[in-house]
Amino acid sequence: MTLTSGVDLEIVDYLYSAEKERREVVKVTDQYPELTIDEAYLIQEKLIQRREKDGARRIGLKLGLTSKAKQEMMGVHEAIYGYLTDDMLALEWEPLDYNKFIHPKAEPEIAFMIAEDLQGTNITAEDVLRVTKYVAPAIEIIDSRYLNFKFTLPDVVADNCSSSSFFIGSKWMSPRVLNLADIGMVMSKNGQVSQTSSSAAVLGHPATSVAWAVNKLGEAGKGIKKGDIILSGAISEAISFEPKDSILVQFAELGSVSFSCK
Ligand code: OOG
Ligand code: MG
């Protein structure tokens, strides 16, 4: 479809108010079935600009649908990216307020701390590792604004890829002293093991997933910046949780990260 400037801002308003009012809404493609992925990225950009106008600051990037299993589930062959803003950063030692969400889910991720700007369209995993000062254990809280967490690819891209909150654990390590290609992970809820996986689930290596995002940004003349935090994509299925639940993600070598919900 050709997105007219009235329609894009109308969709931005629709998604932004759903987020602020913690309300699930019918997906955008129910009304605009011809919305393309490129148009959805333009809407996402305007949505972030709207949040910036209200005081939010971009602090990094997140990848989504980076595992083959998740891509197949959605019938797509591409990952997606969205932006992280400072108001999404949650602290491990503060109980998470369930009332801030619609229907949140937690997923285990590896965070990359970027020490140099990087831009291009032929970026490799090695380039990403060169500019990564640390990697750290992370939990992302996703909270799609769409009814029952159901959407098509353009829908989820427009909705900033379900981004909502994230936690970073305290063990930060140089990627050069780890075998990042295969870090085992166990995620538990209230002391019961819920998911097990390995960092290999993220396109074979989490740095490959970050390189994909840098190349995709490069096509639009953008890049990643010194100081950015990048969540490289869930390495297992996301799990839902309720008030009073506690989630713990333990990585081999890379330590753990956890939160409790009030
Ligand atoms: C889209 C966001 C997925 C990930 O790490 O795969 C994501 C969704 O499933 O709602 O953040
Ligand atoms: Mg994620």
Side-chain angles (χ1 to χ4, degrees):
M1 87 187 239
T2 352
L3 203 58
T4 59
S5 76
V7 171
D8 58 2
L9 293 179
E10 195 185 291
I11 299 173
V12 166
D13 272 344
Y14 178 73
L15 291 171
Y16 192 42
S17 60
E19 180 185 346
K20 284 201 295 197
E21 292 158 24
R22 288 138 209 177
R23 213 163 27 81
E24 40 179 13
V25 292
V26 297
K27 59 189 193 305
V28 172
T29 55
D30 281 8
Q31 196 179 347
Y32 300 104
E34 279 149 31
L35 186 73
T36 65
I37 295 175
D38 287 347
E39 289 169 334
Y41 274 111
L42 295 177
I43 292 172
Q44 182 198 95
E45 175 59 32
K46 291 196 169 149
L47 178 63
I48 303 299
Q49 287 172 3
R50 168 68 62 86
R51 298 172 54 131
E52 286 175 324
K53 236 170 142 182
D54 286 352
R57 227 165 23 86
R58 276 180 229 232
I59 56 170
L61 209 64
K62 60 86 54 95
L63 281 286
L65 310 182
T66 48
S67 74
K68 277 276 166 284
K70 231 171 158 171
Q71 290 184 3
E72 270 161 28
M73 224 170 77
M74 296 271 314
V76 297
H77 305 284
E78 241 200 12
I80 52 178
Y81 72 83
Y83 283 96
L84 301 175
T85 51
D86 61 341
D87 51 334
M88 295 180 188
L89 181 61
L91 303 173
E92 273 193 285
W93 53 90
E94 285 179 358
L96 188 72
D97 184 1
Y98 193 88
N99 294 322
K100 281 173 49 189
F101 303 98
I102 305 166
H103 42 205
K105 295 183 187 181
E107 45 186 32
E109 306 235 359
I110 292 177
F112 284 62
M113 309 302 180
I114 302 300
E116 273 176 51
D117 293 1
L118 184 65
Q119 184 171 336
T121 49
N122 276 308
I123 300 296
T124 62
E126 286 69 34
D127 296 326
V128 168
L129 290 171
R130 186 173 40 79
V131 301
T132 302
K133 186 151 188 198
Y134 301 109
V135 290
I139 296 175
E140 182 179 17
I141 310 291
I142 51 173
D143 194 28
S144 171
R145 268 51 70 171
Y146 300 121
L147 214 53
N148 304 321
F149 243 101
K150 293 262 178 340
F151 42 72
T152 67
L153 208 55
D155 288 308
V156 68
V157 167
D159 185 32
N160 195 27
C161 304
S162 310
S163 303
S164 179
S165 273
F166 65 98
F167 295 87
I168 304 284
S170 56
K171 189 164 179 184
W172 294 21
M173 291 180 79
S174 163
R176 283 161 278 283
V177 301
L178 279 168
N179 177 20
L180 257 192
D182 186 14
I183 297 187
M185 184 289 302
V186 178
M187 176 158 67
S188 318
K189 178 158 89 176
N190 305 326
Q192 302 283 321
V193 172
S194 167
Q195 302 285 327
T196 57
S197 185
S198 148
S199 59
V202 183
L203 298 182
H205 192 301
T208 306
S209 139
V210 177
W212 175 86
V214 179
N215 287 322
K216 182 85 184 168
L217 283 170
E219 288 168 19
K222 302 183 206 170
I224 56 172
K225 300 212 164 65
K226 177 180 176 177
D228 275 354
I229 300 174
I230 304 185
L231 297 180
S232 52
I235 64 181
S236 79
E237 227 173 87
I239 59 170
S240 41
F241 59 89
E242 307 290 330
K244 306 265 185 288
D245 283 347
S246 294
I247 308 261
L248 167 67
V249 172
Q250 293 166 291
F251 286 97
E253 298 173 87
L254 195 52
S256 62
V257 51
S258 66
F259 70 89
S260 293
C261 196
K262 65 176 172 191

